Amino acid sequence: MQKTLFDKIWEKHVIVTKDDKDLLYIDLHLIHEVTSPQAFEGLRLKNRKLRRPDRTFATMDHNTPTIAAHRDVISDPLSAEQLKSLADNCAEFGVTLFDMESQYNGIVHMIGPELGLSLPGKTIVCGDSHTATHGALGALAFGIGTSEVEDVFATQCMWQTKPKNMGVKIVGKLSDNVFAKDIILKLIADNGVSFGTGYAIEYYGETIENMSIEERLSLCNMSIEGGAKFGMIKPDQKTLDYIEGRLYTPKGEDFEKFKESISDLYTDDESLFDKIITLDVTDLKPQVSYGTNPSMTVDIDQEFPEIKSPEDQTAYQYMGLKPGMKAADIPIDFVFIGSCTNGRINDLRIAAEVMQGKKIADNITCVIVPGSMQVLQQAEQEGLVDVFEEAGCEMRMPGCSYCLAMNEDRVAPETHCASTSNRNFEGRQGERSRTHLMSPYLAAKTAIEGRISLG
Amino acid sequence: MDKLDIVKSKATVIFKDNIDTDILIPKNYLKSTKRTGFADALFAPWRYDETGKPIEDFPLNQTANQGNQILIAGENFGCGSSREHAAWALQDFGFKVVIAGSYSPIFYMNYLNNLKLPLILGRAEREALIEQNSEITVNLIDKTVTAGNLCFSFAIENVYREKLLKGQDGIEEILEYIDLIEEHERKYAK
Ligand code: SF4
C-alpha cells in the first residue's frame, strides 16, 4: 500500500492501537532543565525507574548565562536550582548530560542533529515545542508536555492520536537575500498561525531539494508557529552526507545497514496528502514581522496592513507602530542573532559575510549567540568571531538567551529588536520588548544600516 | 488524581484568539521544579499592572468570577511554547474546563494529561453561553454543555473521555502493554 513518509515512520513505531490513539515507541528522548524536573519528581514519588537512560540525553540551555564569566556562579537562585536539579536528576537516573562545561553543550535542537543523535526514521520527542526541527533529517519529531516526558521516562512510549498529512510544496529559486526563514514566515503570514493544527507537515519540492540541511532545520523548526506539531523533509543524499561521521551516527558497516534501513523513507505519491499548500518562492522578498504573532508579517517593502480586529489593535498598540508604516520606519535599537531557528554555523557565516569589514550602526547593540559550543568553536576557527567583534558586535556563549529571555539576557521595555528567533509574542524577549522576526541575513544588514534595510 | 465527570460553575470569559502559553504563564514563573504554586502566575501579563497590582477589570480579578471552574476563550488556545506549566496554572487557579474553538495540539494533551477538559465548541455556541451568563453544566458522561435553556453536545476522543472519567495514571495504562514494548525493543532497538 502507498504511504506518506510520515505514515511509514509512524506505523513502524506503533506498539498497540486503542480506539483513536496509538501507543508509540520513542527512539530518542531529549531533555532540558525547564520541562523535566517535575517528570523526574514523578518517577521518584512512584518509585519508578527511567526505562532507557541510553536513549535519553540532556542539555542545559534555557537558563544558562551567555556571558562566560557568569557561567560559574549563577546569580539567579531559581535558575541555579533548576540547572542543579537537572544535573542531580541525570546523575541519579543515569542520563548523559551535556552541561555547561561540555564541548557538546548547546540548545537542545542544535545538539541532536549535531551529535548524530537525531537520525532519519527515528521517533524523537522533547519537552519543547520546537522539536519538529529534527524532522528536517527525515525523523518524526515532536514537542511534548511534562506529563508525557514522565510517560516516556518510565516506559519509552507515549499515547498519540495520529494527525492528518499535509504536503507543503515549495517551488522556484530563492533570490540571494532570501532564506528558509523567509519561506516559513511567508507561509505563516499567508495561511495563519494555526493552518497546520491537526496535521503533520512534509515540506517538499525543488526548492527543498536544493536547500542545505541547516536551512531545512530552520524551516522545520517553525512548523509549530504554523500550528503543526510535526514538520519533516524526506532524507536524501544531503541528509546522509550531513549525518555521516557524527559522534553518535552508526559507523562503518552499521552505517551501511542504517542507510539500507531508511531507503524507503519518502512519500510514495503526493496524492496521499490530505491537503497540499504550494508556495512559489521565485519572487519572494525578505520577510519582517511587525506584530505580536508570527502571522503578522510583511515583505520588507510592504506597508503594514489596516486594523481589522481587536487583536490587530492590541498588537499595534503593544508594538508602538501604525498601519501604513514600513519595516524601514521601525526604530530598531537591538539585534539578536541566535536561537534554535538561526543559531547554526551557516547562519553565522551569512551574518559574517554581511558584516565583513564593516561596523554596526551607532544606535545598534548587536549580540551574537551561537546555538552550541560546536558552532562557537567552528565560528572561531573560521574567523567569524573576529569579523563580529571587529564590527562591534558582542559574541556570547551558547544558549537560548534572548530568544525567550529566561536567563539574564533581556531586551529592554519598548525596545525594538531585530531577531532571528521564532516568536514575537508579547514579552517574549523581555517585559514589554518588541520583537521583529527575520532572517540572519536581514538582521545583519539591519545591524549595519541601523534600521531594517537591505542597504 | 481526581476524576472529571460533571462540572457545574459559572464561566470566566477571556474571548480572545491565539492566547499563547507565554500569556498563560510567562517564563519568569517557569523556574520552579514543582507542579503546583502557579495560580498567581496565570495570565500574569494581562492580570497585573506594571507595579504588580491586580488590574481590577481583568476577568480573573473580578469578584463575580471568583471560584469559577470554567474558562471560555477564542480559537487556537494554548499556542506557542509546550510548557505544561500553562495547564498547571489553569488547574491551580481552579479551572477544570476550558471551552475554546480550537487548541494547540501540545496544550490539548497537556491539559488532558492533568485530567482537565479542553472542550471544543463553535463560535456561535460559545457566544450564546457568554450571552446567557448563567451557571453552566459540563457533562462528560453524555458529552453535553447546558446552561439555562441552552444545550449543546460536544465531541471528544473516546479514549481521552475515558481517561478523565476514570482518573487514570498514564504510565499504568502504558505498562499494561509491557510485553509488546519489550518485543518491539528486541526487534528494532539495539
Ligand atoms: S532557542 Fe528559543 S525556541 Fe529554541 S529551544 Fe531555546 S527558547 Fe525554545
Side-chain angles (χ1 to χ4, degrees):
Chain A
M1 207 184 68
Q2 293 208 309
K3 287 176 192 156
T4 61
L5 165 65
F6 178 81
D7 288 352
K8 285 179 186 176
I9 304 177
W10 181 282
E11 284 167 19
K12 260 196 195 151
H13 290 83
V14 174
I15 300 288
V16 67
T17 302
K18 196 170 153 189
D19 293 334
D20 22 29
K21 64 180 182 181
D22 293 327
L23 185 62
L24 277 190
Y25 191 82
I26 303 303
D27 296 323
L28 175 67
H29 188 189
L30 301 168
I31 64 172
H32 61 77
E33 76 274 15
V34 180
T35 55
S36 66
Q38 291 87 354
F40 279 116
E41 189 60 22
L43 289 185
R44 259 192 301 269
L45 285 174
K46 298 248 167 107
N47 215 356
R48 283 172 172 143
K49 278 214 187 74
L50 197 150
R51 182 174 171 80
R52 293 296 299 264
D54 59 323
R55 289 175 171 264
T56 315
F57 293 84
T59 186
M60 296 175 168
D61 53 6
H62 285 64
N63 278 293
T64 49
T66 55
I67 296 174
H70 297 184
R71 281 164 89 93
D72 300 333
V73 183
I74 294 170
S75 55
D76 174 356
L78 293 172
S79 289
E81 191 196 314
Q82 213 166 47
L83 292 166
K84 180 171 182 304
S85 86
L86 180 67
D88 292 348
N89 285 329
C90 288
E92 180 181 343
F93 290 93
V95 172
T96 304
L97 166 67
F98 304 112
D99 64 11
M100 274 183 288
E101 257 93 85
S102 165
Q103 57 173 320
Y104 301 127
N105 174 254
I107 305 171
V108 66
H109 309 307
M110 298 286 307
I111 67 162
E114 238 172 36
L115 297 176
L117 287 167
S118 309
L119 295 174
K122 278 197 184 183
T123 46
I124 303 172
V125 296
C126 173
D128 194 283
S129 61
H130 289 97
T131 309
T133 311
H134 312 252
L137 299 169
L140 197 156
F142 58 106
I144 60 177
T146 299
S147 294
E148 293 168 320
V149 169
E150 189 178 332
D151 291 353
V152 178
F153 275 169
T155 69
Q156 204 59 30
C157 293
M158 60 180 292
W159 296 105
Q160 274 291 296
T161 304
K162 188 158 161 263
K164 287 187 276 189
N165 283 281
M166 181 186 292
V168 173
K169 185 174 185 172
I170 313 288
V171 296
K173 192 175 171 304
L174 288 170
S175 309
D176 290 344
N177 55 13
V178 178
F179 301 86
K181 180 65 161 286
D182 300 299
I183 298 180
I184 188 71
L185 283 172
K186 177 70 176 164
L187 281 168
I188 298 165
D190 284 355
N191 301 290
V193 288
S194 54
F195 77 94
T197 304
Y199 288 94
I201 294 178
E202 181 183 339
Y203 303 93
Y204 68 107
E206 55 172 276
T207 321
I208 304 293
E209 280 159 33
N210 293 329
M211 203 179 260
S212 71
I213 295 299
E214 303 198 303
E215 287 281 287
R216 291 180 190 178
L217 288 160
S218 299
L219 181 67
C220 288
N221 174 275
M222 285 186 66
S223 301
I224 191 74
E225 271 66 51
K229 223 154 80 158
F230 309 84
M232 62 198 312
I233 292 170
K234 77 161 191 235
D236 58 10
Q237 190 55 45
K238 281 189 181 161
T239 318
L240 294 173
D241 294 343
Y242 177 90
I243 61 173
E244 190 173 4
R246 290 181 185 267
L247 190 62
Y248 288 94
T249 308
K251 307 270 160 11
E253 210 174 298
D254 288 341
F255 188 62
E256 294 309 312
K257 270 195 220 143
F258 176 76
K259 281 204 287 196
E260 186 58 37
S261 75
I262 61 163
S263 59
D264 69 331
L265 289 187
Y266 51 84
T267 293
D268 293 318
D269 192 284
E270 62 179 358
S271 66
L272 297 165
F273 293 122
D274 299 294
K275 188 173 177 188
I276 295 180
I277 290 178
T278 306
L279 178 69
D280 183 343
V281 295
T282 313
D283 299 319
L284 184 64
K285 295 192 174 155
Q287 302 289 302
V288 180
S289 78
Y290 62 89
T292 52
N293 79 46
S295 74
M296 296 173 173
T297 289
V298 288
D299 292 352
I300 183 162
D301 57 358
Q302 194 184 343
E303 290 185 357
F304 304 156
E306 291 302 309
I307 293 170
K308 289 191 219 75
S309 67
E311 273 85 21
D312 292 347
Q313 175 78 47
T314 321
Y316 275 117
Q317 198 176 351
Y318 180 87
M319 298 299 288
L321 298 172
K322 291 200 177 71
M325 293 171 92
K326 290 184 181 180
D329 303 326
I330 302 170
I332 297 283
D333 285 324
F334 200 95
V335 175
F336 166 57
I337 298 179
S339 88
C340 62
T341 314
N342 287 123
R344 296 188 181 75
I345 189 67
N346 69 314
D347 299 313
L348 300 198
R349 283 184 192 135
I350 290 165
E353 204 186 310
V354 171
M355 293 192 191
Q356 177 83 49
K358 300 206 174 85
K359 295 265 183 239
I360 60 170
D362 290 342
N363 58 312
I364 297 285
T365 304
C366 178
V367 183
I368 316 253
V369 184
S372 72
M373 290 297 274
Q374 294 209 67
V375 170
L376 175 59
Q377 215 180 14
Q378 179 86 21
E380 274 165 358
Q381 276 167 16
E382 293 182 16
L384 311 182
V385 174
D386 295 337
V387 173
F388 293 134
E389 286 179 344
E390 278 159 26
C393 305
E394 246 183 84
M395 191 72 197
R396 295 284 185 86
M397 299 296 282
C400 294
S401 178
Y402 289 97
C403 173
L404 96 161
M406 198 168 165
N407 65 357
E408 58 195 346
D409 300 341
R410 291 180 200 163
V411 174
E414 293 178 12
T415 297
H416 289 270
C417 172
S419 179
T420 66
S421 55
N422 44 48
R423 287 191 174 136
N424 52 349
F425 298 157
E426 287 181 23
R428 174 74 179 183
Q429 295 194 288
E431 212 183 313
R432 291 187 289 130
S433 61
R434 295 163 167 171
T435 303
H436 300 281
L437 304 173
M438 63 184 72
S439 73
Y441 176 84
L442 187 53
K445 282 278 184 192
T446 301
I448 300 295
E449 300 295 326
R451 62 191 185 121
I452 302 176
S453 160
L454 292 168
Chain B
M1 274 196 270
D2 291 345
K3 301 173 196 177
L4 188 147
D5 43 24
I6 293 169
V7 176
K8 275 189 199 178
S9 155
K10 285 191 76 172
T12 299
V13 179
I14 304 180
F15 203 40
K16 288 193 174 168
D17 293 344
N18 304 317
I19 294 176
D20 59 68
T21 52
D22 282 59
I23 291 296
L24 288 172
I25 180 163
K27 67 244 158 186
N28 39 323
Y29 296 94
L30 302 185
K31 294 182 181 175
S32 161
T33 55
K34 303 278 175 294
R35 271 177 203 256
T36 51
F38 297 109
D40 292 344
L42 185 65
F43 279 104
W46 293 349
R47 190 168 151 197
Y48 307 108
D49 68 14
E50 277 156 38
T51 65
K53 233 179 68 215
I55 298 168
E56 260 174 52
D57 62 352
F58 186 68
L60 255 49
N61 297 330
Q62 291 168 15
T63 339
N65 283 332
Q66 299 314 307
N68 287 359
Q69 300 176 29
I70 299 172
L71 175 69
I72 301 184
E75 301 288 330
N76 200 28
F77 186 84
C79 59
S81 151
S82 65
R83 57 188 73 156
E84 193 161 319
H85 310 68
W88 299 331
L90 285 162
Q91 156 174 324
D92 261 8
F93 191 83
F95 290 123
K96 294 184 175 166
V97 179
V98 175
I99 305 181
S102 59
Y103 295 89
S104 114
I106 300 178
F107 173 83
Y108 186 78
M109 287 311 302
N110 286 344
Y111 205 45
L112 280 170
N113 283 332
N114 286 279
L115 301 182
K116 300 293 172 284
L117 176 61
L119 196 153
I120 299 173
L121 277 187
R123 193 177 178 94
E125 283 89 349
R126 278 173 289 139
E127 278 170 351
L129 290 172
I130 295 168
E131 175 95 345
Q132 176 102 4
N133 189 24
S134 63
E135 186 178 79
I136 296 174
T137 303
V138 172
N139 185 330
L140 184 59
I141 303 164
D142 59 16
K143 296 190 278 185
T144 56
V145 178
T146 48
N149 55 356
L150 299 172
C151 180
F152 308 118
S153 51
F154 64 91
I156 177 172
E157 295 87 343
N158 199 35
V159 275
Y160 299 133
R161 176 173 163 269
E162 263 178 39
K163 178 186 171 76
L164 298 186
L165 291 175
K166 282 192 208 149
Q168 199 176 24
D169 174 334
I171 294 175
E172 281 158 22
E173 194 191 345
I174 297 174
L175 288 175
E176 283 173 29
Y177 302 98
I178 189 70
D179 293 347
L180 294 174
I181 297 171
E182 283 174 354
E183 193 186 309
H184 179 94
E185 286 184 329
R186 274 194 300 274
K187 230 161 84 191
Y188 296 106
K190 266 197 287 170

